[in-house]
């Protein structure tokens, strides 16, 4: 009887030890798994932050370039002379200035000057590397476009940057699609100029493609505008 009791006790002890070992193994396995998951998540978070920082720097540089470019054109002596308020706007000179300018700035797709009523007076486009100076009958009324309204509300010499959206010509979205940012500066008597709006259209499709190239298996960057809409 004593031998049987000792055997039963030993079996119970062994079973308890086995159960205890399984519990400890489970706890250790869970801790190791959790630690591995945390390490992986930390790695993803670091990669995400790095990609976001790269995109922010690239975007900021390009926006800064857009601001600098329109300032250079606005302050150029030739443009100031051509738009001086003491004489009628010199459209021929403005066309030559815009032509030279659009040829020298790679992502620039259009340069315009609109009068105080939002009517295009001079427009120069570049398409497929070819410069196109718009004829008088091709000039459009852009007074209802939001960027014209916002640009006109700004003070003389103040820069306004539009949201990124698709380029619109003659009331229709241009195809193939061209993601566009418009930079404007209001011209006016503060600077001795005729009242109107200088408008530069930038094709940011290439910039968006570069940002898209930052994506990886673990990171997918998405852009939203200031109103919270996806770009």
């Amino acid at each position: 009887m004593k031998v049987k009791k000792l055997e039963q006790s030993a079996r119970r002890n062994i079973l308890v030890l086995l159960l205890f070992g399984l519990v400890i193994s489970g706890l250790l396995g869970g801790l190791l798994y959790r630690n591995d998951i945390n390490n992986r998540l930390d790695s993803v978070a670091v990669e995400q932050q790095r990609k976001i920082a790269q995109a922010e720097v690239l975007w900021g540089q390009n926006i800064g370039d857009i601001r600098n470019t329109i300032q250079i054109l606005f302050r150029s002596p030739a443009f100031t002379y051509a738009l001086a308020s003491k004489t009628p706007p010199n459209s021929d000179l403005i066309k030559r200035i815009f032509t030279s300018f659009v040829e020298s700035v790679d992502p620039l797709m259009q340069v315009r000057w609109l009068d105080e009523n939002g009517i295009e007076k001079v427009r120069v486009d570049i398409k497929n590397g070819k410069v196109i100076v718009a004829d008088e009958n091709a000039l459009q009324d852009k007074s209802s476009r939001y960027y014209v309204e916002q640009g006109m509300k700004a003070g003389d010499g103040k820069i306004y940057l539009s949201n990124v959206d698709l380029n619109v010509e003659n009331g229709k979205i241009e195809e193939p699609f061209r993601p566009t940012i418009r930079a404007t500066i209001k011209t006016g008597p503060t600077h001795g100029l005729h009242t109107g709006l200088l408008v530069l259209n930038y094709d940011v499709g290439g910039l968006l493609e570069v940002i898209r190239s930052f994506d990886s298996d673990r990171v997918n960057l998405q852009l939203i505008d200031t109103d919270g809409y996806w770009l």
Side-chain angles (χ1 to χ4, degrees):
M1 292 293 292
K2 289 183 178 180
V3 172
K4 288 183 178 179
K5 289 182 177 179
L6 288 172
E7 289 177 349
Q8 290 174 351
S9 177
R11 287 177 186 152
R12 284 197 298 270
N13 290 337
I14 291 171
L15 182 61
V16 169
L17 289 172
L18 287 173
L19 291 173
F20 182 74
L22 288 173
V23 170
I24 294 299
S25 297
L27 289 173
L28 288 173
L31 289 172
L32 290 172
Y33 177 75
R34 183 175 180 181
N35 185 61
D36 182 61
I37 290 296
N38 287 336
N39 287 337
R40 290 174 182 269
L41 290 174
D42 288 343
S43 175
V44 171
V46 169
E47 184 178 354
Q48 286 178 337
Q49 291 301 317
R50 181 170 60 82
K51 298 286 188 180
I52 290 171
Q54 287 178 327
E56 287 178 338
V57 169
L58 182 64
W59 188 266
Q61 288 175 339
N62 279 267
I63 294 301
D65 289 344
I66 291 172
R67 288 181 171 274
N68 291 336
T69 300
I70 195 168
Q71 280 280 15
I72 289 170
L73 178 56
F74 174 72
R75 295 181 182 279
S76 68
F79 180 71
T80 301
Y81 173 78
L83 205 62
S85 59
K86 294 181 179 179
T87 57
N90 189 333
S91 297
D92 289 336
L93 178 55
I94 294 175
K95 289 176 184 177
R96 293 198 296 273
I97 295 168
F98 285 2
T99 297
S100 175
F101 203 76
V102 78
E103 288 177 329
S104 62
V105 182
D106 185 44
L108 197 54
M109 52 192 275
Q110 189 178 81
V111 183
R112 292 172 287 167
W113 183 72
L114 286 60
D115 68 14
E116 60 186 347
N117 298 312
I119 309 296
E120 293 178 341
K121 290 301 180 180
V122 179
R123 188 180 83 231
V124 176
D125 301 88
I126 186 163
K127 294 184 179 180
N128 301 317
K130 183 180 179 181
V131 175
I132 303 170
V133 179
D135 295 330
E136 187 173 347
N137 57 5
L139 299 175
Q140 303 171 49
D141 180 351
K142 294 289 186 176
S143 59
S144 62
R145 297 288 285 147
Y146 76 93
Y147 61 87
V148 174
E149 294 176 350
Q150 294 300 319
M152 287 293 191
K153 289 178 181 178
D156 288 3
K158 300 296 183 181
I159 297 174
Y160 167 77
L161 294 179
S162 76
N163 291 331
V164 177
D165 56 24
L166 298 178
N167 193 46
V168 175
E169 293 296 344
N170 296 305
K172 296 181 179 179
I173 293 175
E174 183 181 9
E175 294 185 9
F177 296 150
R178 302 180 77 181
T180 305
I181 285 180
R182 299 161 192 86
T184 76
I185 288 186
K186 184 178 180 182
T187 63
T190 302
H191 295 86
L193 306 176
H194 287 279
T195 299
L197 197 66
L198 177 64
V199 184
L200 273 59
N201 284 30
Y202 277 82
D203 185 341
V204 293
L207 173 59
L208 295 178
E209 285 295 329
V210 173
I211 292 176
R212 189 177 290 114
S213 72
F214 293 164
D215 287 354
S216 68
D217 294 337
R218 303 193 300 177
V219 177
N220 180 248
L221 293 177
Q222 299 288 333
L223 297 176
I224 59 174
D225 63 20
T226 54
D227 297 318
Y229 291 100
W230 294 106
L231 298 179

